[in-house]
Amino acid sequence: MSFKQQWKFILVLFIGLIGLVCQFGIHTKSLFQIGNLQFPFEAILIDVIGIAMALSLLLEIINDFRSGRYGVDILAVIAVVSTILIGDIWAEWMILVMMTGGETLENYATGQADKELRSLLSNSPTTANKIVGNELVSVDVDQLEINDQVLIKPGEQVPVDGKVIDGASSFDQSSLTGESVPVQKNIGDELMSGSINGDVAVKMVVTKKASDSEYQTIVSLVESSQAKPAKFVKMADRYAVPFTVISLAIGIAAWIHSGNPINFAEVMVVASPCPLLISAPVALVSGMSSMSKHHIIVKSGPTIEKLATAKTFAFDKTGTLTENRLVIDQIVPAENSDFSAETLQSYATSVEQQSSHIIADSLVSVTDKKMLKPATNIKETTSQGVSGTVDGHEVKVGKLGFVTSEKHAKSVNSTAIYISIDGQYAGYITFKDQVRPESAETVARLRRQSDAHMIMLTGDHEDVANQIGQTVGIKDIRSNLLPAQKIEAIKDVTKDNRPVVMTGDGINDAPSLTAADVGIAMGAKGASAASESADAIIMVNDLSKINDAVAISKHTMKVANVDVLTAITIVILIELVAFTGVIPAFWGAILQEVVDMISISLALLAKTKPKNPKQTGLVAKE
């Protein structure tokens, strides 16, 4: 905790020390005098500080009123002014200690709560071993350019995203993907910045600059979340009005009952609102920290409140409910073809293995490497297909019009590639998007957690969308939607069914994430417009993390509410005791400081897991 965060507290303590020296030290006769009134130096000193802090709070109150908000800071101002008017400087000083000390304790608790976030920042790769000729040169990661070659020594972090060009080793990716077991990386495999090399040095070529790489993307998201502190206004405002009214009523009643304004001041000292102001923000920061431990970055505190009360969850299909990875659905040889389904797959994959098209990548990834054959004379025609020679046969793979002009060959109503061999139409291969294995269970758990309505919003065809929806358990399916129509669908959700949480992963999802009350981006594959537009980012390729986010949010809000109500109850009980006049203002301020510490301790419970994790969803993997 920096000096900047605690200078007020230090100043108040220093003023108190000077006051004690003046009152009980050698120079106790030093007085200021105006007419018949005598003002001890220590009283002037403490009153000046008290008036300055009261005016500062008053300005904040006025700004809140202008913004349409009402808080409980007015009680703190009344408590300071009351002790000034009755001349109880040490009670006044204790209130100042309580106010500044509460802020200092909050900063400390906040620092404890977000230490997981700060550890991520401190572990960010900063240097790299760049290969220049036959030498290694240590450079800053920001100086690396695409196609630079870098040596990753054993135990070192990968500085930027790249691809292995020499060597093979296992890499610890747990901080990025949540995988507990190191992943083997061979020549041609991609490396994510922030992953840690095992026992063998490898060379890699840079594929992304530092600012675009995986780890730096996470760091920037964390910095974004830290730049937007958890200002929990709504819940504090909800309790502020009744708490202020009750406290003022008890204080006025104490004044009337005793006929002594000191009793009013004693109640107001106890009624200082620090516990109410501290409880919710610390609980929210603790909740954000817990989210980070579960690989979820939350950019602001209000996101947690909305997640806890969400009534509608909307999902994009491709890349969110599905893996955005095509798998083979059917292999259909032509009626008069002499080639089997296995041969069609083998020939098609052999000529497609050098293509960068998404369907080619999918075909190669799902085909056994033993089926691949040498292919020569490879020629790719943009947006049409690929041709080549396999086993002495001329093979064409791609769009129907590219591979054949035969009239009996008809296109199918799905994602497909068509194949001709030696100029004869040979058949087709269809593909389907692979549903995430956790999607159905995620939707089911969300219903159990929130009893919420589920919607799928997709630009895909109706038949495909309905099939995916049926698989994952979503009945409200909106297909053939453009990005603008997705926004309208979210805006059309009625007030009774809000907050709306939208989850997506692509650039086309960014507008819908912004339009939703809470936008969640599947950001495991790096930076995108979706991540920038979202309120929360799931940093691992696991949709069930939404269950974790909702469970943590509900637990955090429960802790915050219980903490605030507990603090208010304790304070009101102390106020009732102070009504009798048995608690001097000085000791009332000390008791209030004790309540502050209790509130902070309770708020930190938001970092713990819910008592019933199976009900809330934190054991989605079990």
Side-chain angles (χ1 to χ4, degrees), residues 58 75 83 98 142 184 214 293 296 398 423 512 565 613:
L58 191 59
L75 288 176
T83 52
M98 176 182 60
D142 293 329
Q184 181 69 23
E214 185 75 20
K293 290 173 65 177
I296 307 162
S512 344
L565 288 172

Side-chain angles (χ1 to χ4, degrees), residues 475-488:
K475 296 181 180 179
D476 188 351
I477 300 168
R478 323 280 179 90
S479 56
N480 296 304
L481 298 181
L482 297 172
Q485 293 172 312
K486 289 185 180 182
I487 294 175
E488 289 302 316

Side-chain angles (χ1 to χ4, degrees), residues 11 94 108 169 191 199 254 260 332 377 392 394 404 420-421 452 459 515 527:
L11 176 62
M94 274 307 303
Y108 173 76
S169 183
L191 295 176
D199 299 326
N260 189 342
V332 182
N377 302 320
E394 182 186 355
T404 185
S420 68
I421 300 176

